[in-house]
Amino acid sequence: MRIGELAQAVGVSTDTVRFYERSGWLPRASRRDNAYRDYGDADVEHLRLLIDLRRLDLPLEDAARIAGWCHSGHCADSTAELPRLISERRAEIAERIAGLLALDVRLAGLVGHLEHPRRTLAVLDGPCCDTADAVIGSAEGACACCSSTQAIAD
């Protein structure tokens, strides 16, 4: 099959196929007499596995290594390595989720603060307004605005 047919079979662009081939992640195709690339079923399976591993957000180098092992008879290596790579990705995702949840809590507090401003007196020595004070305070881990309001109330 030609490059367009391979790309269509796997659901990627011909540029993607050329990139993977140029980078060495996909074995070089044989050429027909007219210099067109000629791909076979093994190429479809190799590229499909590579693309599916990338869709799991594995780094390209790792995905290409696993696909290469699978298609060169080193299935034991890929079977041993893939669970470790997946565990690493899951740990990274869990860390990102924790960071996003912490950010969401901070944003929710900031929105609540901005919807209900507490400052009633102008302070010439600090941020120009409740908004700036709340943002700066939340970035520092304390609400400077609330502590100023508390001091004024006392």
Side-chain angles (χ1 to χ4, degrees):
M1 74 182 68
R2 291 180 26 190
I3 192 168
E5 296 165 318
L6 172 64
Q8 185 176 19
V10 178
V12 297
S13 70
T14 56
D15 288 338
T16 299
V17 176
R18 285 186 190 97
F19 169 77
Y20 284 137
E21 189 175 298
R22 211 175 27 251
S23 301
W25 306 127
L26 178 66
R28 292 229 179 250
S30 59
R31 298 284 183 151
R32 296 179 180 179
D33 291 338
N34 60 4
Y36 288 164
R37 291 174 173 90
D38 191 24
Y39 296 97
D41 292 337
D43 297 310
V44 173
E45 291 308 312
H46 185 92
L47 185 58
R48 181 172 285 134
L49 177 59
L50 179 57
I51 296 298
D52 286 346
L53 288 166
R54 288 292 295 138
R55 288 182 178 143
L56 294 174
D57 204 26
L58 291 179
L60 177 56
E61 193 168 303
D62 292 332
R65 187 174 64 249
I66 295 294
W69 284 343
C70 284
H71 291 104
S72 64
H74 299 284
C75 295
D77 292 332
S78 56
T79 300
E81 182 73 2
L82 188 55
R84 185 189 66 76
L85 292 172
I86 290 171
S87 292
E88 284 178 6
R89 287 299 302 140
R90 292 188 71 216
E92 291 168 10
I93 289 168
E95 190 175 312
R96 284 175 38 203
I97 288 170
L100 289 171
L101 288 171
L103 176 59
D104 186 52
V105 167
R106 183 175 163 209
L107 292 172
L110 186 57
V111 166
H113 191 89
L114 294 172
E115 288 175 347
H116 306 291
R118 297 181 182 186
R119 180 176 289 159
T120 55
L121 299 175
V123 177
L124 301 175
D125 238 7
C128 62
C129 63
D130 279 342
T131 301
D133 205 16
V135 171
I136 292 167
S138 71
E140 294 172 351
C143 181
C145 202
C146 290
S147 60
S148 298
T149 304
Q150 186 66 17
I152 294 169
D154 290 340

